[in-house]
Amino acid sequence: MSATATRQTGSPPDGALTHRQIMTILSGLVLGMFLAALDQTIVSTAIKTIGNDLNDLSAQAWVTTAFLITSTIAAPLFGKLSDIYGRKRLFMLAIVIFVIGSALCGLAQSMYQLAGFRAFQGIGAGGIMPLALAVIGDIIPPRERARYQGYMMAVFASASVLGPVLGGLLSGTDSFLGAAGWRWIFYINVPIAAFALVVIAKVLHLDHVRRERRIDWWGSALLAIGLVPLLVVAEQGQSWGWDSAGSFACYLTGAAGLALFVWVQHKMGDDALLPLRLFRSSTFSVASAQVTIIGMAMFGGMSVIPLYLQIVKGASPTKSGLLLLPMVAGLMLASLGSGQFVARTGRYKILPVVGSFLMVIGMGLMITIGADTALWQTDIYMAIFGIGLGLNMQSLVLAMQNAVPAKDMGVASASSTFFRSIGGTLGTAIFLSVLFSQAGTKIAHEYTKAATDPAFIAAGKAHPDQLAALHQHLGGGLDDTSFLNGLAKPLSHPFFAGFSAAGDVVFAIVAVLLLAAIVLSTRLKEVPLRMVSGNQARTEAETAATASAAGTATVPAPAPAPAGDDTAQGAPAAPSPDTPRTGTATEH
């Protein structure tokens, strides 16, 4: 193991980067993060058009599931590998895999081809998000990091919401430059990713000392065996039946795979994909649990709100995405504001506490919306929820990064992405299942009430053909709601009221779930933020270890803190692994 002591041109003498250098690096990181976040949601509004064009709409679920599975599993693997081999080369590799997958998706000739290419694309996407956060952790001290991570969290949230808007716009275009409009959902990634690669190659020079470690391939394989069946049943359980033989086979396979994964992680020790010693830190464990819950609430709630806007309010997919902008605005303002707060005060625990309360309030208010609720009221409720979400997202990532040794920065950053993805998958599957299981009952109840309403009776007599079509479609399920567009308002209103009531049930469950987030946030132990970056801490630790081994250290090095010891992560007295460095080992 060797390192070359160098320093970036123009850096301050202590090895820290200037604001200008950080912002230049950040430009490349956010481009990559934007692409990865965008592709999590951009296909959702275009999938019907894609399925019709490729003549296999029934296979649409696999296109989403394939991307989700590989991106979730790839996150911890990329995080661990980057701790061993360095961030830059792994980040660039993730972008290359992503862009090749994007190009292949645009060339797909069948839905199963598209699902396979989306799986390949997901591998790259799974590396981009955690590595971008890890790079920020490497070059910026935690006290200042929140300010810059706020920009990244805002980009992530904006891309997640803009995805359905762009998907609707592009898929609505019949042809562009000789290719079907939906194919540009994937082609558009290529030039943006190419530009991101150029920026990263030119400006990203990270400190890295190669550490000879075993790669936890068994852990990666068992994680896939454990998660793939559970993610598949989460996506497909509603159509299979949650108590079907296929679902039970997935439950058992997933449980066995995860049990073996935990056993292998114990045996691998520090070389594990997710070292179990990290969970001995109460801060890391509590933040991981809360990230999972926030992911469930975020993606679960966001999967229901657009359906309410499209079905009940009659908004197009593109317009429903635009109507989510109050949530995005709240999230962006809260992310940026919380970054400034942490940078000035060094405190962060208050942010997830207040944020969780606001999310509960926002979801509680969403319970009150119905078919006749004005859109401005819904906008206010979504904005409150978005502010709470913004206060939670980056403060929890910061807490997880600050609670682990600098050498585990990649694992900690990947863990935040990993647990958020798991929560988002579970939330989307569970809450959509609840929504559609409740919708039929609630709609039937509303039509039973409307049977004695004079306006409904009069509309039925005036439009007997519409009444007959209504009974026919209601008997066939909720797969197609386009028939509602031509109905007289008294005939369609009970449907909208029933669907809104089903959505209220989901919002109530999310609100109750978020009560657990409030409890967890109060249990989050606030570890004093380090005043140096991960690279500075890591390099000084290596220097101290080398000097100690050579017998040249003039001051005894402090005993290494036990992994997961929260008290060891604050700003220590010198000499310490967290003191500013005098030279850096630069990765080229």
Side-chain angles (χ1 to χ4, degrees), residues 383-474:
I384 294 173
F385 183 78
I387 292 172
L389 191 59
L391 293 177
N392 266 286
M393 287 184 66
Q394 71 146 331
S395 57
L396 293 175
V397 174
L398 184 66
M400 294 176 72
Q401 290 178 333
N402 190 63
V404 304
K407 66 178 182 178
D408 293 316
M409 187 67 67
V411 172
S413 303
S415 296
S416 66
T417 303
F418 175 75
F419 288 117
R420 185 185 300 116
S421 296
I422 293 295
T425 304
L426 293 175
T428 302
I430 292 171
F431 295 139
L432 284 180
S433 178
V434 171
L435 176 69
F436 286 105
S437 64
Q438 289 287 315
T441 303
K442 297 291 185 182
I443 291 171
H445 176 68
E446 290 295 327
Y447 273 108
T448 301
K449 287 170 53 179
T452 57
D453 181 25
F456 182 85
I457 295 172
K461 290 181 178 179
H463 305 283
D465 55 331
Q466 293 184 14
L467 187 62
L470 177 64
H471 288 302
Q472 178 183 356
H473 281 90
L474 289 179

Side-chain angles (χ1 to χ4, degrees), residues 192-483:
I192 299 176
F195 179 70
L197 276 175
V198 172
V199 173
I200 293 298
K202 184 176 180 180
V203 307
L204 187 58
H205 303 289
L206 293 179
D207 303 341
H208 177 67
V209 177
R210 169 69 182 271
R211 295 169 179 82
E212 295 301 329
R213 295 280 192 180
R214 293 178 296 167
I215 299 176
D216 187 10
W217 296 118
W218 277 109
S220 302
L222 288 170
L223 183 62
I225 292 172
L227 287 182
V228 169
L230 297 180
L231 294 176
V232 168
V233 75
E235 291 290 322
Q236 304 293 326
Q238 185 179 343
S239 58
W240 291 356
W242 297 106
D243 57 351
S244 66
S247 295
F248 271 106
C250 287
Y251 302 147
L252 294 175
T253 304
L258 291 179
L260 289 172
F261 171 74
V262 172
W263 180 75
V264 168
Q265 299 308 282
H266 173 70
K267 292 295 184 182
M268 290 292 292
D270 280 353
D271 295 331
L273 196 64
L274 288 174
L276 298 183
R277 60 179 169 76
L278 299 182
F279 294 93
R280 293 202 295 266
S281 163
S282 61
T283 300
F284 186 86
S285 298
V286 170
S288 297
Q290 189 161 355
V291 163
T292 305
I293 291 176
I294 297 301
M296 292 183 70
M298 175 183 176
F299 289 101
M302 285 177 61
S303 65
V304 175
I305 295 173
L307 289 174
Y308 165 82
L309 295 172
Q310 292 178 39
I311 294 175
V312 179
K313 294 301 183 181
S316 65
T318 303
K319 185 178 179 181
S320 68
L322 293 173
L323 289 173
L324 292 175
L325 289 179
M327 182 190 298
V328 178
L331 192 153
M332 291 179 66
L333 290 175
S335 293
L336 297 174
S338 61
Q340 296 293 331
F341 175 83
V342 173
R344 292 180 180 180
T345 66
R347 310 299 297 271
Y348 59 87
K349 178 177 178 177
I350 187 64
L351 298 175
V353 174
V354 174
S356 298
F357 270 106
L358 288 176
M359 291 181 74
V360 171
I361 293 172
M363 273 294 121
L365 292 172
M366 292 293 289
I367 298 172
T368 66
I369 67 173
D372 301 314
T373 303
L375 279 175
W376 65 266
Q377 289 181 259
T378 307
D379 288 343
I380 293 175
Y381 304 161
M382 287 192 293
I384 294 173
F385 183 78
I387 292 172
L389 191 59
L391 293 177
N392 266 286
M393 287 184 66
Q394 71 146 331
S395 57
L396 293 175
V397 174
L398 184 66
M400 294 176 72
Q401 290 178 333
N402 190 63
V404 304
K407 66 178 182 178
D408 293 316
M409 187 67 67
V411 172
S413 303
S415 296
S416 66
T417 303
F418 175 75
F419 288 117
R420 185 185 300 116
S421 296
I422 293 295
T425 304
L426 293 175
T428 302
I430 292 171
F431 295 139
L432 284 180
S433 178
V434 171
L435 176 69
F436 286 105
S437 64
Q438 289 287 315
T441 303
K442 297 291 185 182
I443 291 171
H445 176 68
E446 290 295 327
Y447 273 108
T448 301
K449 287 170 53 179
T452 57
D453 181 25
F456 182 85
I457 295 172
K461 290 181 178 179
H463 305 283
D465 55 331
Q466 293 184 14
L467 187 62
L470 177 64
H471 288 302
Q472 178 183 356
H473 281 90
L474 289 179
L478 303 177
D479 291 336
D480 184 5
T481 59
S482 60
F483 71 94

